[in-house]
Amino acid sequence: METNRPFTSILAKLKDAGLRPTRQRLSLAKLLFEGGDRHVSAEDLHAEAVANRISVSLATIYNTLHQFTTAGLLREVVVEPGRSYFDNNITPHHHFFVEGAGKLIDIPASEVALSQLPAAPEGMKVSRVDVIVRLANDN
């Protein structure tokens, strides 16, 4: 008989990704993965952790987000130099970026058509194409 303990699915997700399920990783993964698809900055996640009484430094947040990205649990979306969001939807898709609001909105991959990609340099292959369509108020 399977029990529904609070961290069961999160624990399995971390173990399947080859990550040791430390208390901080479990707590942050719970915030990241139990609320549906979302885009979060390190600063936003830190504020959410503090609000949920999770004692963690901003440096640990950054390290954990990068570990989750390397393990394939998150995608990093760089919207400008030094400004990234982390996306827990790792399926192929693209984004609208609402300038001024700092908000990402998913675009299904089927809604973006690319007619041609440049040839990859010798010895390399294209692993993924990320399109960011920037939106601004038309005022």
Side-chain angles (χ1 to χ4, degrees):
M1 179 192 272
E2 185 176 314
T3 59
N4 269 337
R5 290 184 278 165
F7 287 95
T8 303
S9 65
I10 298 298
L11 182 64
K13 186 181 273 286
L14 293 179
K15 285 184 176 181
D16 290 347
L19 293 171
R20 190 167 55 89
T22 63
R23 185 176 330 137
Q24 286 180 327
R25 282 186 188 145
L26 282 166
S27 297
L28 294 175
K30 186 171 174 49
L31 293 177
L32 286 166
F33 300 112
E34 287 194 339
D37 291 346
R38 62 188 298 214
H39 309 98
V40 64
S41 70
E43 292 79 8
D44 292 340
L45 184 60
H46 183 254
E48 192 175 334
V50 168
N52 282 277
R53 298 182 180 178
I54 300 168
S55 178
V56 62
S57 70
L58 185 57
T60 298
I61 296 281
Y62 274 104
N63 289 338
T64 302
L65 289 169
H66 288 292
Q67 290 165 354
F68 285 6
T69 300
T70 300
L73 298 175
L74 296 173
R75 285 176 51 186
E76 183 175 12
V77 180
V78 179
V79 296
E80 57 194 29
R83 188 167 181 198
S84 295
Y85 292 87
F86 294 85
D87 190 347
N88 68 357
N89 176 358
I90 57 172
T91 64
H93 68 284
H94 306 287
H95 295 96
F96 285 117
F97 177 65
V98 183
E99 294 179 334
K103 181 179 179 184
L104 286 174
I105 302 167
D106 288 345
I107 304 170
S110 62
E111 291 187 21
V112 175
L114 299 172
S115 62
Q116 183 176 343
L117 289 176
E122 189 175 325
M124 304 193 87
K125 67 177 182 171
V126 175
S127 65
R128 172 174 102 205
V129 174
D130 295 320
V131 174
I132 298 176
V133 179
R134 296 174 184 279
L135 303 175
N137 290 325
D138 59 359
N139 301 345

PDB file of all heavy atoms in Angstrom, residues 37-41 75-79 83-87 93-99 101-107 131-135:
ATOM      1  N   ASP A  37       2.826  24.810 -13.791  1.00  0.00           N
ATOM      2  CA  ASP A  37       3.887  25.453 -14.573  1.00  0.00           C
ATOM      3  C   ASP A  37       4.102  26.881 -14.091  1.00  0.00           C
ATOM      4  O   ASP A  37       3.147  27.612 -13.834  1.00  0.00           O
ATOM      5  CB  ASP A  37       3.516  25.485 -16.060  1.00  0.00           C
ATOM      6  CG  ASP A  37       3.523  24.110 -16.691  1.00  0.00           C
ATOM      7  OD1 ASP A  37       4.052  23.170 -16.075  1.00  0.00           O
ATOM      8  OD2 ASP A  37       2.996  23.977 -17.817  1.00  0.00           O
ATOM      9  N   ARG A  38       5.388  27.235 -13.964  1.00  0.00           N
ATOM     10  CA  ARG A  38       5.702  28.590 -13.508  1.00  0.00           C
ATOM     11  C   ARG A  38       7.099  29.004 -13.914  1.00  0.00           C
ATOM     12  O   ARG A  38       7.950  28.174 -14.219  1.00  0.00           O
ATOM     13  CB  ARG A  38       5.520  28.701 -11.994  1.00  0.00           C
ATOM     14  CG  ARG A  38       6.439  27.801 -11.175  1.00  0.00           C
ATOM     15  CD  ARG A  38       6.095  27.817  -9.719  1.00  0.00           C
ATOM     16  NE  ARG A  38       6.264  29.142  -9.175  1.00  0.00           N
ATOM     17  CZ  ARG A  38       6.667  29.399  -7.943  1.00  0.00           C
ATOM     18  NH1 ARG A  38       6.897  28.422  -7.105  1.00  0.00           N
ATOM     19  NH2 ARG A  38       6.812  30.629  -7.520  1.00  0.00           N
ATOM     20  N   HIS A  39       7.304  30.310 -13.910  1.00  0.00           N
ATOM     21  CA  HIS A  39       8.601  30.926 -14.183  1.00  0.00           C
ATOM     22  C   HIS A  39       8.969  31.707 -12.927  1.00  0.00           C
ATOM     23  O   HIS A  39       8.153  32.482 -12.432  1.00  0.00           O
ATOM     24  CB  HIS A  39       8.501  31.889 -15.363  1.00  0.00           C
ATOM     25  CG  HIS A  39       7.867  31.280 -16.565  1.00  0.00           C
ATOM     26  ND1 HIS A  39       6.537  31.467 -16.874  1.00  0.00           N
ATOM     27  CD2 HIS A  39       8.369  30.467 -17.517  1.00  0.00           C
ATOM     28  CE1 HIS A  39       6.253  30.807 -17.987  1.00  0.00           C
ATOM     29  NE2 HIS A  39       7.338  30.189 -18.394  1.00  0.00           N
ATOM     30  N   VAL A  40      10.166  31.507 -12.441  1.00  0.00           N
ATOM     31  CA  VAL A  40      10.549  32.155 -11.188  1.00  0.00           C
ATOM     32  C   VAL A  40      11.998  32.625 -11.274  1.00  0.00           C
ATOM     33  O   VAL A  40      12.851  31.947 -11.843  1.00  0.00           O
ATOM     34  CB  VAL A  40      10.336  31.187  -9.989  1.00  0.00           C
ATOM     35  CG1 VAL A  40      11.224  29.975 -10.066  1.00  0.00           C
ATOM     36  CG2 VAL A  40      10.502  31.886  -8.669  1.00  0.00           C
ATOM     37  N   SER A  41      12.245  33.800 -10.729  1.00  0.00           N
ATOM     38  CA  SER A  41      13.624  34.281 -10.603  1.00  0.00           C
ATOM     39  C   SER A  41      14.169  33.763  -9.272  1.00  0.00           C
ATOM     40  O   SER A  41      13.405  33.357  -8.384  1.00  0.00           O
ATOM     41  CB  SER A  41      13.675  35.808 -10.631  1.00  0.00           C
ATOM     42  OG  SER A  41      13.107  36.343  -9.448  1.00  0.00           O
ATOM     43  N   ARG A  75      14.413  24.681 -16.867  1.00  0.00           N
ATOM     44  CA  ARG A  75      15.066  25.358 -17.990  1.00  0.00           C
ATOM     45  C   ARG A  75      15.349  26.782 -17.562  1.00  0.00           C
ATOM     46  O   ARG A  75      14.483  27.447 -16.994  1.00  0.00           O
ATOM     47  CB  ARG A  75      14.153  25.405 -19.218  1.00  0.00           C
ATOM     48  CG  ARG A  75      14.037  24.102 -19.927  1.00  0.00           C
ATOM     49  CD  ARG A  75      13.055  24.162 -21.078  1.00  0.00           C
ATOM     50  NE  ARG A  75      13.286  25.274 -21.981  1.00  0.00           N
ATOM     51  CZ  ARG A  75      12.481  25.575 -22.981  1.00  0.00           C
ATOM     52  NH1 ARG A  75      11.389  24.869 -23.189  1.00  0.00           N
ATOM     53  NH2 ARG A  75      12.741  26.587 -23.770  1.00  0.00           N
ATOM     54  N   GLU A  76      16.552  27.246 -17.819  1.00  0.00           N
ATOM     55  CA  GLU A  76      16.878  28.638 -17.539  1.00  0.00           C
ATOM     56  C   GLU A  76      16.537  29.465 -18.774  1.00  0.00           C
ATOM     57  O   GLU A  76      16.919  29.118 -19.884  1.00  0.00           O
ATOM     58  CB  GLU A  76      18.348  28.804 -17.189  1.00  0.00           C
ATOM     59  CG  GLU A  76      18.715  30.221 -16.822  1.00  0.00           C
ATOM     60  CD  GLU A  76      20.152  30.381 -16.348  1.00  0.00           C
ATOM     61  OE1 GLU A  76      20.946  29.441 -16.510  1.00  0.00           O
ATOM     62  OE2 GLU A  76      20.474  31.463 -15.831  1.00  0.00           O
ATOM     63  N   VAL A  77      15.800  30.545 -18.568  1.00  0.00           N
ATOM     64  CA  VAL A  77      15.432  31.461 -19.649  1.00  0.00           C
ATOM     65  C   VAL A  77      16.123  32.783 -19.353  1.00  0.00           C
ATOM     66  O   VAL A  77      15.760  33.474 -18.393  1.00  0.00           O
ATOM     67  CB  VAL A  77      13.897  31.649 -19.738  1.00  0.00           C
ATOM     68  CG1 VAL A  77      13.547  32.598 -20.880  1.00  0.00           C
ATOM     69  CG2 VAL A  77      13.188  30.311 -19.891  1.00  0.00           C
ATOM     70  N   VAL A  78      17.129  33.118 -20.152  1.00  0.00           N
ATOM     71  CA  VAL A  78      17.875  34.359 -19.955  1.00  0.00           C
ATOM     72  C   VAL A  78      17.194  35.438 -20.789  1.00  0.00           C
ATOM     73  O   VAL A  78      17.151  35.336 -22.017  1.00  0.00           O
ATOM     74  CB  VAL A  78      19.351  34.194 -20.370  1.00  0.00           C
ATOM     75  CG1 VAL A  78      20.115  35.505 -20.178  1.00  0.00           C
ATOM     76  CG2 VAL A  78      20.008  33.066 -19.592  1.00  0.00           C
ATOM     77  N   VAL A  79      16.629  36.441 -20.131  1.00  0.00           N
ATOM     78  CA  VAL A  79      15.902  37.487 -20.841  1.00  0.00           C
ATOM     79  C   VAL A  79      16.781  38.692 -21.165  1.00  0.00           C
ATOM     80  O   VAL A  79      16.466  39.461 -22.066  1.00  0.00           O
ATOM     81  CB  VAL A  79      14.629  37.919 -20.088  1.00  0.00           C
ATOM     82  CG1 VAL A  79      13.638  36.774 -20.008  1.00  0.00           C
ATOM     83  CG2 VAL A  79      14.945  38.457 -18.713  1.00  0.00           C
ATOM     84  N   ARG A  83      19.912  38.566 -16.023  1.00  0.00           N
ATOM     85  CA  ARG A  83      18.520  38.402 -15.601  1.00  0.00           C
ATOM     86  C   ARG A  83      17.949  37.123 -16.198  1.00  0.00           C
ATOM     87  O   ARG A  83      17.754  37.028 -17.406  1.00  0.00           O
ATOM     88  CB  ARG A  83      17.690  39.588 -16.041  1.00  0.00           C
ATOM     89  CG  ARG A  83      16.292  39.557 -15.473  1.00  0.00           C
ATOM     90  CD  ARG A  83      15.631  40.882 -15.676  1.00  0.00           C
ATOM     91  NE  ARG A  83      14.296  40.866 -15.124  1.00  0.00           N
ATOM     92  CZ  ARG A  83      13.372  41.734 -15.438  1.00  0.00           C
ATOM     93  NH1 ARG A  83      13.633  42.689 -16.299  1.00  0.00           N
ATOM     94  NH2 ARG A  83      12.181  41.656 -14.903  1.00  0.00           N
ATOM     95  N   SER A  84      17.704  36.159 -15.323  1.00  0.00           N
ATOM     96  CA  SER A  84      17.198  34.859 -15.738  1.00  0.00           C
ATOM     97  C   SER A  84      15.958  34.491 -14.958  1.00  0.00           C
ATOM     98  O   SER A  84      15.776  34.908 -13.817  1.00  0.00           O
ATOM     99  CB  SER A  84      18.236  33.761 -15.466  1.00  0.00           C
ATOM    100  OG  SER A  84      19.374  33.936 -16.248  1.00  0.00           O
ATOM    101  N   TYR A  85      15.141  33.674 -15.596  1.00  0.00           N
ATOM    102  CA  TYR A  85      14.006  33.033 -14.948  1.00  0.00           C
ATOM    103  C   TYR A  85      14.197  31.543 -15.105  1.00  0.00           C
ATOM    104  O   TYR A  85      14.841  31.076 -16.055  1.00  0.00           O
ATOM    105  CB  TYR A  85      12.678  33.465 -15.598  1.00  0.00           C
ATOM    106  CG  TYR A  85      12.352  34.911 -15.344  1.00  0.00           C
ATOM    107  CD1 TYR A  85      12.837  35.910 -16.181  1.00  0.00           C
ATOM    108  CD2 TYR A  85      11.588  35.283 -14.245  1.00  0.00           C
ATOM    109  CE1 TYR A  85      12.553  37.242 -15.936  1.00  0.00           C
ATOM    110  CE2 TYR A  85      11.301  36.621 -13.997  1.00  0.00           C
ATOM    111  CZ  TYR A  85      11.787  37.585 -14.845  1.00  0.00           C
ATOM    112  OH  TYR A  85      11.510  38.906 -14.591  1.00  0.00           O
ATOM    113  N   PHE A  86      13.640  30.790 -14.193  1.00  0.00           N
ATOM    114  CA  PHE A  86      13.733  29.340 -14.249  1.00  0.00           C
ATOM    115  C   PHE A  86      12.333  28.795 -14.469  1.00  0.00           C
ATOM    116  O   PHE A  86      11.392  29.175 -13.779  1.00  0.00           O
ATOM    117  CB  PHE A  86      14.396  28.803 -12.976  1.00  0.00           C
ATOM    118  CG  PHE A  86      15.824  29.246 -12.880  1.00  0.00           C
ATOM    119  CD1 PHE A  86      16.156  30.477 -12.329  1.00  0.00           C
ATOM    120  CD2 PHE A  86      16.837  28.454 -13.388  1.00  0.00           C
ATOM    121  CE1 PHE A  86      17.461  30.908 -12.271  1.00  0.00           C
ATOM    122  CE2 PHE A  86      18.163  28.878 -13.338  1.00  0.00           C
ATOM    123  CZ  PHE A  86      18.475  30.108 -12.775  1.00  0.00           C
ATOM    124  N   ASP A  87      12.209  27.929 -15.456  1.00  0.00           N
ATOM    125  CA  ASP A  87      10.929  27.423 -15.932  1.00  0.00           C
ATOM    126  C   ASP A  87      10.834  25.953 -15.559  1.00  0.00           C
ATOM    127  O   ASP A  87      11.710  25.166 -15.915  1.00  0.00           O
ATOM    128  CB  ASP A  87      10.896  27.596 -17.455  1.00  0.00           C
ATOM    129  CG  ASP A  87       9.549  27.336 -18.081  1.00  0.00           C
ATOM    130  OD1 ASP A  87       8.662  26.775 -17.400  1.00  0.00           O
ATOM    131  OD2 ASP A  87       9.390  27.666 -19.265  1.00  0.00           O
ATOM    132  N   HIS A  93       8.897  24.546 -25.795  1.00  0.00           N
ATOM    133  CA  HIS A  93       8.012  25.690 -25.945  1.00  0.00           C
ATOM    134  C   HIS A  93       8.858  26.958 -25.949  1.00  0.00           C
ATOM    135  O   HIS A  93      10.062  26.909 -25.742  1.00  0.00           O
ATOM    136  CB  HIS A  93       6.949  25.734 -24.838  1.00  0.00           C
ATOM    137  CG  HIS A  93       7.479  26.025 -23.475  1.00  0.00           C
ATOM    138  ND1 HIS A  93       8.138  25.101 -22.697  1.00  0.00           N
ATOM    139  CD2 HIS A  93       7.432  27.169 -22.736  1.00  0.00           C
ATOM    140  CE1 HIS A  93       8.481  25.649 -21.550  1.00  0.00           C
ATOM    141  NE2 HIS A  93       8.070  26.911 -21.544  1.00  0.00           N
ATOM    142  N   HIS A  94       8.207  28.079 -26.222  1.00  0.00           N
ATOM    143  CA  HIS A  94       8.884  29.370 -26.307  1.00  0.00           C
ATOM    144  C   HIS A  94       8.198  30.334 -25.344  1.00  0.00           C
ATOM    145  O   HIS A  94       7.302  29.937 -24.607  1.00  0.00           O
ATOM    146  CB  HIS A  94       8.843  29.869 -27.759  1.00  0.00           C
ATOM    147  CG  HIS A  94       9.400  28.860 -28.715  1.00  0.00           C
ATOM    148  ND1 HIS A  94      10.740  28.588 -28.824  1.00  0.00           N
ATOM    149  CD2 HIS A  94       8.773  28.016 -29.585  1.00  0.00           C
ATOM    150  CE1 HIS A  94      10.929  27.635 -29.725  1.00  0.00           C
ATOM    151  NE2 HIS A  94       9.752  27.276 -30.199  1.00  0.00           N
ATOM    152  N   HIS A  95       8.611  31.602 -25.382  1.00  0.00           N
ATOM    153  CA  HIS A  95       8.088  32.558 -24.406  1.00  0.00           C
ATOM    154  C   HIS A  95       7.823  33.941 -24.986  1.00  0.00           C
ATOM    155  O   HIS A  95       8.575  34.407 -25.844  1.00  0.00           O
ATOM    156  CB  HIS A  95       9.077  32.737 -23.246  1.00  0.00           C
ATOM    157  CG  HIS A  95       9.261  31.518 -22.445  1.00  0.00           C
ATOM    158  ND1 HIS A  95      10.302  30.633 -22.667  1.00  0.00           N
ATOM    159  CD2 HIS A  95       8.534  30.995 -21.431  1.00  0.00           C
ATOM    160  CE1 HIS A  95      10.194  29.632 -21.797  1.00  0.00           C
ATOM    161  NE2 HIS A  95       9.139  29.824 -21.044  1.00  0.00           N
ATOM    162  N   PHE A  96       6.784  34.573 -24.473  1.00  0.00           N
ATOM    163  CA  PHE A  96       6.631  36.015 -24.547  1.00  0.00           C
ATOM    164  C   PHE A  96       7.302  36.552 -23.297  1.00  0.00           C
ATOM    165  O   PHE A  96       7.185  35.956 -22.220  1.00  0.00           O
ATOM    166  CB  PHE A  96       5.149  36.432 -24.478  1.00  0.00           C
ATOM    167  CG  PHE A  96       4.353  36.193 -25.728  1.00  0.00           C
ATOM    168  CD1 PHE A  96       3.295  35.303 -25.702  1.00  0.00           C
ATOM    169  CD2 PHE A  96       4.629  36.876 -26.903  1.00  0.00           C
ATOM    170  CE1 PHE A  96       2.520  35.092 -26.833  1.00  0.00           C
ATOM    171  CE2 PHE A  96       3.866  36.674 -28.036  1.00  0.00           C
ATOM    172  CZ  PHE A  96       2.809  35.772 -28.007  1.00  0.00           C
ATOM    173  N   PHE A  97       7.993  37.689 -23.405  1.00  0.00           N
ATOM    174  CA  PHE A  97       8.535  38.373 -22.240  1.00  0.00           C
ATOM    175  C   PHE A  97       7.916  39.757 -22.204  1.00  0.00           C
ATOM    176  O   PHE A  97       8.072  40.544 -23.145  1.00  0.00           O
ATOM    177  CB  PHE A  97      10.064  38.483 -22.308  1.00  0.00           C
ATOM    178  CG  PHE A  97      10.657  39.254 -21.155  1.00  0.00           C
ATOM    179  CD1 PHE A  97      10.559  38.774 -19.860  1.00  0.00           C
ATOM    180  CD2 PHE A  97      11.294  40.459 -21.371  1.00  0.00           C
ATOM    181  CE1 PHE A  97      11.084  39.486 -18.786  1.00  0.00           C
ATOM    182  CE2 PHE A  97      11.835  41.181 -20.313  1.00  0.00           C
ATOM    183  CZ  PHE A  97      11.730  40.685 -19.022  1.00  0.00           C
ATOM    184  N   VAL A  98       7.173  40.047 -21.148  1.00  0.00           N
ATOM    185  CA  VAL A  98       6.510  41.344 -20.994  1.00  0.00           C
ATOM    186  C   VAL A  98       7.517  42.299 -20.365  1.00  0.00           C
ATOM    187  O   VAL A  98       7.784  42.226 -19.165  1.00  0.00           O
ATOM    188  CB  VAL A  98       5.227  41.223 -20.140  1.00  0.00           C
ATOM    189  CG1 VAL A  98       4.522  42.578 -20.064  1.00  0.00           C
ATOM    190  CG2 VAL A  98       4.303  40.141 -20.679  1.00  0.00           C
ATOM    191  N   GLU A  99       8.082  43.157 -21.212  1.00  0.00           N
ATOM    192  CA  GLU A  99       9.080  44.114 -20.729  1.00  0.00           C
ATOM    193  C   GLU A  99       8.428  45.084 -19.753  1.00  0.00           C
ATOM    194  O   GLU A  99       7.278  45.449 -19.905  1.00  0.00           O
ATOM    195  CB  GLU A  99       9.696  44.858 -21.911  1.00  0.00           C
ATOM    196  CG  GLU A  99      10.499  43.941 -22.806  1.00  0.00           C
ATOM    197  CD  GLU A  99      11.103  44.643 -24.012  1.00  0.00           C
ATOM    198  OE1 GLU A  99      10.547  45.671 -24.453  1.00  0.00           O
ATOM    199  OE2 GLU A  99      12.120  44.136 -24.508  1.00  0.00           O
ATOM    200  N   ALA A 101       7.287  44.522 -16.932  1.00  0.00           N
ATOM    201  CA  ALA A 101       6.597  43.743 -15.901  1.00  0.00           C
ATOM    202  C   ALA A 101       7.440  42.551 -15.461  1.00  0.00           C
ATOM    203  O   ALA A 101       7.169  41.940 -14.438  1.00  0.00           O
ATOM    204  CB  ALA A 101       5.244  43.252 -16.417  1.00  0.00           C
ATOM    205  N   GLY A 102       8.463  42.207 -16.255  1.00  0.00           N
ATOM    206  CA  GLY A 102       9.308  41.063 -15.912  1.00  0.00           C
ATOM    207  C   GLY A 102       8.531  39.771 -15.865  1.00  0.00           C
ATOM    208  O   GLY A 102       8.761  38.943 -14.997  1.00  0.00           O
ATOM    209  N   LYS A 103       7.620  39.591 -16.815  1.00  0.00           N
ATOM    210  CA  LYS A 103       6.758  38.411 -16.806  1.00  0.00           C
ATOM    211  C   LYS A 103       6.971  37.580 -18.054  1.00  0.00           C
ATOM    212  O   LYS A 103       7.051  38.114 -19.160  1.00  0.00           O
ATOM    213  CB  LYS A 103       5.297  38.856 -16.716  1.00  0.00           C
ATOM    214  CG  LYS A 103       4.311  37.719 -16.676  1.00  0.00           C
ATOM    215  CD  LYS A 103       2.883  38.229 -16.570  1.00  0.00           C
ATOM    216  CE  LYS A 103       1.922  37.056 -16.558  1.00  0.00           C
ATOM    217  NZ  LYS A 103       0.530  37.478 -16.551  1.00  0.00           N
ATOM    218  N   LEU A 104       7.072  36.265 -17.886  1.00  0.00           N
ATOM    219  CA  LEU A 104       7.156  35.327 -19.003  1.00  0.00           C
ATOM    220  C   LEU A 104       5.816  34.634 -19.178  1.00  0.00           C
ATOM    221  O   LEU A 104       5.158  34.290 -18.197  1.00  0.00           O
ATOM    222  CB  LEU A 104       8.219  34.256 -18.747  1.00  0.00           C
ATOM    223  CG  LEU A 104       9.677  34.679 -18.874  1.00  0.00           C
ATOM    224  CD1 LEU A 104      10.590  33.543 -18.449  1.00  0.00           C
ATOM    225  CD2 LEU A 104      10.000  35.112 -20.285  1.00  0.00           C
ATOM    226  N   ILE A 105       5.424  34.437 -20.438  1.00  0.00           N
ATOM    227  CA  ILE A 105       4.204  33.714 -20.779  1.00  0.00           C
ATOM    228  C   ILE A 105       4.589  32.644 -21.790  1.00  0.00           C
ATOM    229  O   ILE A 105       5.272  32.938 -22.780  1.00  0.00           O
ATOM    230  CB  ILE A 105       3.155  34.670 -21.388  1.00  0.00           C
ATOM    231  CG1 ILE A 105       2.831  35.818 -20.421  1.00  0.00           C
ATOM    232  CG2 ILE A 105       1.896  33.898 -21.792  1.00  0.00           C
ATOM    233  CD1 ILE A 105       2.067  36.961 -21.059  1.00  0.00           C
ATOM    234  N   ASP A 106       4.155  31.421 -21.552  1.00  0.00           N
ATOM    235  CA  ASP A 106       4.492  30.327 -22.461  1.00  0.00           C
ATOM    236  C   ASP A 106       3.825  30.493 -23.819  1.00  0.00           C
ATOM    237  O   ASP A 106       2.680  30.944 -23.919  1.00  0.00           O
ATOM    238  CB  ASP A 106       4.048  28.981 -21.876  1.00  0.00           C
ATOM    239  CG  ASP A 106       4.909  28.531 -20.708  1.00  0.00           C
ATOM    240  OD1 ASP A 106       6.008  29.088 -20.508  1.00  0.00           O
ATOM    241  OD2 ASP A 106       4.491  27.608 -19.992  1.00  0.00           O
ATOM    242  N   ILE A 107       4.553  30.103 -24.864  1.00  0.00           N
ATOM    243  CA  ILE A 107       4.037  29.997 -26.221  1.00  0.00           C
ATOM    244  C   ILE A 107       4.225  28.536 -26.630  1.00  0.00           C
ATOM    245  O   ILE A 107       5.356  28.038 -26.617  1.00  0.00           O
ATOM    246  CB  ILE A 107       4.816  30.883 -27.212  1.00  0.00           C
ATOM    247  CG1 ILE A 107       4.831  32.344 -26.788  1.00  0.00           C
ATOM    248  CG2 ILE A 107       4.253  30.715 -28.629  1.00  0.00           C
ATOM    249  CD1 ILE A 107       5.785  33.212 -27.614  1.00  0.00           C
ATOM    250  N   VAL A 131      12.954  30.701 -28.412  1.00  0.00           N
ATOM    251  CA  VAL A 131      12.504  31.968 -28.969  1.00  0.00           C
ATOM    252  C   VAL A 131      11.865  32.774 -27.842  1.00  0.00           C
ATOM    253  O   VAL A 131      11.013  32.267 -27.111  1.00  0.00           O
ATOM    254  CB  VAL A 131      11.477  31.741 -30.113  1.00  0.00           C
ATOM    255  CG1 VAL A 131      10.904  33.063 -30.584  1.00  0.00           C
ATOM    256  CG2 VAL A 131      12.128  30.977 -31.254  1.00  0.00           C
ATOM    257  N   ILE A 132      12.295  34.020 -27.715  1.00  0.00           N
ATOM    258  CA  ILE A 132      11.683  34.941 -26.759  1.00  0.00           C
ATOM    259  C   ILE A 132      11.130  36.106 -27.564  1.00  0.00           C
ATOM    260  O   ILE A 132      11.872  36.825 -28.231  1.00  0.00           O
ATOM    261  CB  ILE A 132      12.689  35.445 -25.707  1.00  0.00           C
ATOM    262  CG1 ILE A 132      13.233  34.287 -24.877  1.00  0.00           C
ATOM    263  CG2 ILE A 132      12.034  36.493 -24.803  1.00  0.00           C
ATOM    264  CD1 ILE A 132      14.308  34.683 -23.878  1.00  0.00           C
ATOM    265  N   VAL A 133       9.822  36.277 -27.520  1.00  0.00           N
ATOM    266  CA  VAL A 133       9.149  37.381 -28.188  1.00  0.00           C
ATOM    267  C   VAL A 133       8.902  38.441 -27.128  1.00  0.00           C
ATOM    268  O   VAL A 133       8.202  38.189 -26.145  1.00  0.00           O
ATOM    269  CB  VAL A 133       7.808  36.919 -28.825  1.00  0.00           C
ATOM    270  CG1 VAL A 133       7.102  38.092 -29.491  1.00  0.00           C
ATOM    271  CG2 VAL A 133       8.054  35.779 -29.812  1.00  0.00           C
ATOM    272  N   ARG A 134       9.501  39.600 -27.307  1.00  0.00           N
ATOM    273  CA  ARG A 134       9.403  40.658 -26.310  1.00  0.00           C
ATOM    274  C   ARG A 134       8.171  41.518 -26.569  1.00  0.00           C
ATOM    275  O   ARG A 134       7.922  41.931 -27.701  1.00  0.00           O
ATOM    276  CB  ARG A 134      10.671  41.503 -26.333  1.00  0.00           C
ATOM    277  CG  ARG A 134      11.876  40.671 -25.922  1.00  0.00           C
ATOM    278  CD  ARG A 134      13.186  41.428 -26.063  1.00  0.00           C
ATOM    279  NE  ARG A 134      14.281  40.534 -25.731  1.00  0.00           N
ATOM    280  CZ  ARG A 134      14.672  40.253 -24.501  1.00  0.00           C
ATOM    281  NH1 ARG A 134      14.083  40.809 -23.474  1.00  0.00           N
ATOM    282  NH2 ARG A 134      15.671  39.421 -24.289  1.00  0.00           N
ATOM    283  N   LEU A 135       7.411  41.761 -25.518  1.00  0.00           N
ATOM    284  CA  LEU A 135       6.191  42.560 -25.601  1.00  0.00           C
ATOM    285  C   LEU A 135       6.362  43.858 -24.824  1.00  0.00           C
ATOM    286  O   LEU A 135       6.974  43.867 -23.756  1.00  0.00           O
ATOM    287  CB  LEU A 135       5.005  41.791 -25.003  1.00  0.00           C
ATOM    288  CG  LEU A 135       4.678  40.425 -25.595  1.00  0.00           C
ATOM    289  CD1 LEU A 135       3.552  39.778 -24.793  1.00  0.00           C
ATOM    290  CD2 LEU A 135       4.294  40.551 -27.062  1.00  0.00           C
TER     291      LEU A 135
END
